[in-house]
Amino acid sequence: MLPSEMPKASTPVQPKYPVHTARLRLRPVRMRDLKAINAYRSLPEVTRYLPHGPHTMADTEATLRSMTAQTGLQVPGQWLDLAVEVEGSPTAVGEVLLKWNAGDPRQGEIGFVFNPEVHGQGIAQEAVSEALRIAFEDFGWHRVEGICDERNVRSAALMERLGMRREATFKDADWFKGDWSTLCYYGMLRREWMALRAGPSNS
Ligand SMILES: CC(C)(COP(=O)(O)OP(=O)(O)OC[C@H]1O[C@@H](n2cnc3c(N)ncnc32)[C@H](O)[C@@H]1OP(=O)(O)O)[C@@H](O)C(=O)NCCC(=O)NCCS
């Protein structure tokens, strides 16, 4: 895209936090989430396909310091990290991340990480679905991408259950943690999200 054609970045309108779903609450991460988030970010099985290795408490603290230094999304390229709590409990069981695309502010990327204690209950699906709603309906993004390693089958399955489309597979595209990583790119458009929300048509 030519610089003259670059759309102007308008700051995404944040919903009123916490955002509630049937079983969950989503709200920006806080420093007091440190222990709860470190409990799963420190596990090798959780970080296997994340960009970082198992976190020490100091690693998680540094991550949360940088996440909490920004309030919402102000500049394209920033990540918004939303902590996920199960209704009735103040403990973060996972995070959903939304990245505002630096090159085109009408687009974003989604990421997610959950405590294994809540895997297999549809908690991640419920939270990531709400994050897609925020991205498309509150932020007004045109397109959201998700990227995962081909071996991260739970991540791929989650994005497929949400209705995201696998658009590309790049073989051995990244040297990652001592091995080549094949990357799967998933995408969804705002109009596809709205159609899913509207349900099957009667025609
Ligand atoms: C990726 C990740 C979030 C997926 O978590 P998950 O728990 O498998 O995802 P979901 O919340 O969609 O749960 C799906 C499972 O819950 C089951 N389930 C139970 N109750 C359910 C309900 N009410 N609604 C939906 N699904 C339900 C589903 O049948 C499914 O079971 P299955 O795994 O046996 O097929 C998790 O594996 C994770 O945190 N991984 C580590 C971090 C990571 O790799 N992040 C992605 C980087 S790209």
Side-chain angles (χ1 to χ4, degrees):
M1 190 184 297
L2 297 170
S4 59
E5 294 175 336
M6 192 78 84
K8 274 227 165 72
S10 58
T11 308
V13 177
Q14 297 291 324
K16 195 170 173 319
Y17 297 114
V19 169
H20 296 263
T21 67
R23 293 180 289 176
L24 310 172
R25 282 190 308 268
L26 278 68
R27 43 107 188 132
V29 287
R30 305 184 281 233
M31 283 316 294
R32 78 177 96 125
D33 295 317
L34 177 60
K35 266 179 75 178
I37 289 181
N38 180 258
Y40 53 85
R41 280 195 181 234
S42 59
L43 302 174
E45 69 268 30
V46 168
T47 61
R48 173 66 186 90
Y49 298 111
L50 297 183
H52 57 79
H55 265 184
T56 62
M57 194 63 87
D59 293 330
T60 307
E61 186 173 352
T63 301
L64 294 195
R65 283 216 183 283
S66 113
M67 289 293 186
T68 53
Q70 66 179 63
T71 54
L73 293 174
Q74 288 137 346
V75 185
Q78 281 181 328
W79 284 94
L80 172 66
D81 190 357
L82 297 175
V84 180
E85 299 164 341
V86 177
E87 286 285 6
S89 160
T91 308
V93 296
E95 297 148 73
V96 184
L97 298 98
L98 287 167
K99 185 181 188 185
W100 196 9
N101 189 305
D104 186 332
R106 298 164 302 185
Q107 303 192 40
E109 185 184 330
I110 200 150
F112 35 81
V113 51
F114 282 79
N115 192 321
E117 285 179 7
V118 301
H119 289 181
Q121 301 174 39
I123 299 267
Q125 183 177 338
E126 192 171 318
V128 179
S129 174
E130 185 59 20
L132 287 174
R133 191 204 63 72
I134 292 170
F136 290 122
E137 298 181 28
D138 293 332
F139 297 172
W141 286 347
H142 173 70
R143 175 184 164 83
V144 173
E145 279 184 359
I147 306 162
C148 72
D149 187 298
E150 190 175 45
R151 294 164 295 182
N152 195 352
V153 289
R154 295 192 78 95
S155 175
L158 169 58
M159 289 192 273
E160 279 164 24
R161 275 196 299 278
L162 287 163
M164 297 180 77
R165 180 181 43 253
R166 189 189 284 209
E167 297 180 331
T169 303
F170 295 105
K171 286 279 170 206
D172 286 3
D174 191 27
W175 182 252
F176 180 72
K177 298 188 176 175
D179 203 356
W180 287 109
S181 169
T182 291
L183 295 176
C184 303
Y185 278 64
Y186 284 85
M188 185 184 264
L189 301 177
R190 185 170 192 277
R191 62 175 178 269
E192 294 166 338
W193 168 260
M194 298 311 270
L196 270 179
R197 290 268 282 173
S201 76
N202 296 325
S203 59

